[in-house]
Amino acid sequence: MVARKPKVIVTRKLPDPVETRMRELFDTELNIADQPFTRAQLEDAVGRADALVPTITDRIDATLLEKAGPKLKLIANFGVGVDHIDVPAAVAKGIAVTNTPGVLTEDTADLTMALMMAVGRRIVEGANVAQEGGYTGWAPTWMMGHRITGKRLGIIGMGRIGQAVARRARAFGLQIHYHNRKPVSPRIAEELEATYWESLDQMLARMDLISVHSPHTPATYHLLSARRLKLLQQHAILVNTARGEIIDETALAELLRAGKIAGAGLDVFEHEPAINPKLLGLPNAVLLPHLGSATIEGRIDMGEKVIINIRTWMDGHKPPDRVIPAMM
Ligand code: DGY
């Protein structure tokens, strides 16, 4: 427990109400200019802070953590994914790591549906034609996409976001299938009328749409490998709003270019912010710049979660959203 206000260093600009509240509660250093921290700035921050508030754009690895000062006791991540943080290394040094689960579930699920629709119904292509003055008249066989309703959706990773996608997808008339480390509870399976596939390969080969919602861990890196991607049907659509590293992007780009699958909607990339040049310019790929949680409401809620985690820790309790190495 710290009697003085803890030194909290925030690495990126956060929504104004979050920054205002943080300033009231903590001895807060903000990054108003929003320039991502350099390695040297991160080293300085971990050396001086009681609590660091990083985001996905900061690499908090074991080498950086060696520079942590004796005061650093909390890494309160602004975001749910913690694959940019070496959680075991932090915990081994007595530094707790927290994240912001739950509050971005619905926004990410909304964006997932938007991508499914955008790819299936060629929304971006169509909008571009209209904007560029290329619409010369309706025609029976022009700009045909793929029907969404009635199709089979395979969800990879049936956690909070996967389930939120399933709920929306049912309203669109999709049949829900999923692959997960273990089946969801019978109550949830019944509510979603969801079919569990123990074999990812078998599920991939039978779905019309696939949506990725696993965390990125060593076990899920390139889970959708070149071999697995080849199992997809030619009319299949793949959506990823989780992490780019889960898909072999180069293999995916080749399948898209060759028309071996119908399309892909990607909000995340393997080497963000860089986008694999092979994905650029493909008419059947809708690419978004990591917008899953990008709503005003969601980002404020994420900030509030960060504040709750820091305050709970300040008060000498275990923060509610602790990430433990066993979760990774
Ligand atoms: C997350 O929270 O992990 C998102 O991907 C970024 O906000």
Side-chain angles (χ1 to χ4, degrees):
M1 174 146 158
V2 249
R4 62 190 165 79
K5 279 187 176 181
K7 163 72 73 189
V8 174
I9 302 185
V10 184
T11 66
R12 297 299 299 267
K13 170 98 187 80
L14 301 183
D16 289 342
V18 176
E19 292 191 334
T20 303
R21 191 74 185 123
M22 282 186 146
R23 273 192 166 126
E24 287 164 5
L25 292 169
F26 317 126
D27 171 12
T28 310
E29 278 183 32
L30 300 170
N31 180 359
I32 302 296
D34 204 22
Q35 280 302 315
F37 274 19
T38 61
R39 187 76 179 178
Q41 284 174 304
L42 276 177
E43 286 178 4
D44 171 61
V46 295
R48 291 188 298 113
D50 293 298
L52 180 75
V53 180
T55 74
I56 188 183
T57 55
D58 305 300
R59 184 133 304 279
I60 316 289
D61 55 25
T63 318
L64 181 84
L65 289 168
E66 277 165 22
K67 309 275 180 193
K71 290 193 311 169
L72 185 68
K73 289 288 172 263
L74 179 66
I75 297 174
N77 187 52
F78 183 89
V80 71
V82 288
D83 49 332
H84 55 295
I85 302 174
D86 189 332
V87 177
V91 171
K93 289 182 78 71
I95 303 166
V97 178
T98 59
N99 65 348
T100 61
V103 291
L104 41 77
T105 302
E106 305 302 326
D107 293 325
T108 308
D110 286 345
L111 195 86
T112 304
M113 294 309 296
L115 276 173
M116 264 180 227
M117 301 306 291
V119 178
R121 300 303 307 273
R122 304 176 66 177
I123 290 173
V124 176
E125 262 184 285
N128 287 341
V129 169
Q131 277 288 355
E132 289 157 12
Y135 178 46
T136 52
W138 187 91
T141 56
W142 184 61
M143 286 287 295
M144 293 185 293
H146 292 269
R147 178 179 289 164
I148 298 295
T149 193
K151 297 288 174 66
R152 301 173 122 206
L153 167 64
I155 295 176
I156 302 176
M158 198 60 148
R160 285 191 187 86
I161 299 175
Q163 289 174 32
V165 168
R167 287 193 184 93
R168 283 160 176 74
R170 275 170 50 78
F172 276 84
L174 285 157
Q175 300 163 36
I176 309 302
H177 299 256
Y178 71 102
H179 170 79
N180 204 35
R181 275 186 297 190
K182 54 184 174 48
V184 295
S185 71
R187 183 186 61 75
I188 293 171
E190 196 177 320
E191 178 207 330
L192 300 174
E193 293 185 76
T195 305
Y196 177 62
W197 293 77
E198 192 173 355
S199 161
L200 175 58
D201 286 10
Q202 288 187 17
M203 183 177 89
L204 289 173
R206 286 165 180 79
M207 295 298 122
D208 306 303
L209 296 127
I210 293 284
S211 193
V212 181
H213 299 289
S214 319
H216 167 221
T217 65
T220 62
Y221 175 76
H222 279 197
L223 183 68
L224 294 189
S225 58
R227 178 192 70 76
R228 283 209 169 107
L229 288 169
K230 283 196 191 129
L231 299 172
L232 293 172
Q233 305 190 79
Q234 194 167 6
H235 66 268
I237 290 170
L238 174 64
V239 171
N240 187 8
T241 53
R243 283 292 183 264
E245 290 89 337
I246 299 170
I247 300 179
D248 180 338
E249 253 172 21
T250 301
L252 174 63
E254 279 160 17
L255 290 183
L256 287 166
R257 190 171 297 277
K260 297 263 171 65
I261 64 170
L266 307 175
D267 184 44
V268 286
F269 303 93
E270 203 171 336
H271 303 289
E272 284 183 35
I275 299 184
N276 188 326
K278 294 197 162 90
L279 287 169
L280 300 176
L282 294 174
N284 51 357
V286 175
L287 312 179
L288 294 179
H290 205 142
L291 297 182
S293 65
T295 65
I296 297 164
E297 297 86 345
R299 293 283 162 86
I300 291 176
D301 289 350
M302 287 162 72
E304 280 170 4
K305 278 233 148 201
V306 168
I307 291 171
I308 290 168
N309 281 316
I310 300 175
R311 290 192 78 181
T312 320
W313 161 77
M314 269 170 75
D315 292 344
H317 303 294
K318 288 192 169 143
D321 302 311
R322 265 177 322 135
V323 180
I324 49 173
M327 291 170 166
M328 310 292 294

